Amino acid sequence: MDLALLGLHTERDSKPSTAARQFVNIFAKAEAAPSGCIRGFRHVMLEDTDISSTRHARAAVGGLIGGLSGTGAVYVSGGAEHQGPSGGGPVAVIARLSDNQSD
């Protein structure tokens, strides 16, 4: 997710960042890769009997998106099968892009 392509820039010294103030919400679908690997490295999300792989994937993707965007306005839904590449899914960013913002 390249926020700069959307005209949303996160500044490390600005709290909250300009981009975070512009975000209305970010929606994503996520699932654990059924192959058991992510970028060639093994993951164990499918092997934990206490927590479903969907919860692991949602937590990981939610944390990643929150960290990249600087906002907690994130919703990650599980079960991305048939909605994108294996182990992945769509992401939708809703943001205000006007220059006339009131805080």
Side-chain angles (χ1 to χ4, degrees), residues 10 16-17 19-21 23-26 62-63 65-74:
T10 58
S17 70
R21 290 191 304 267
F23 286 123
V24 174
N25 211 320
I26 302 171
I65 291 173
L68 287 172
S69 64
T71 183
V74 177

Side-chain angles (χ1 to χ4, degrees), residues 4-40:
L5 290 175
L6 302 173
L8 300 169
H9 304 278
T10 58
E11 301 91 20
R12 295 191 187 274
D13 297 329
S14 174
K15 302 205 184 335
S17 70
T18 303
R21 290 191 304 267
Q22 292 174 309
F23 286 123
V24 174
N25 211 320
I26 302 171
F27 299 95
K29 292 288 274 186
E31 70 172 351
S35 68
C37 291
I38 298 173
R39 294 185 176 184

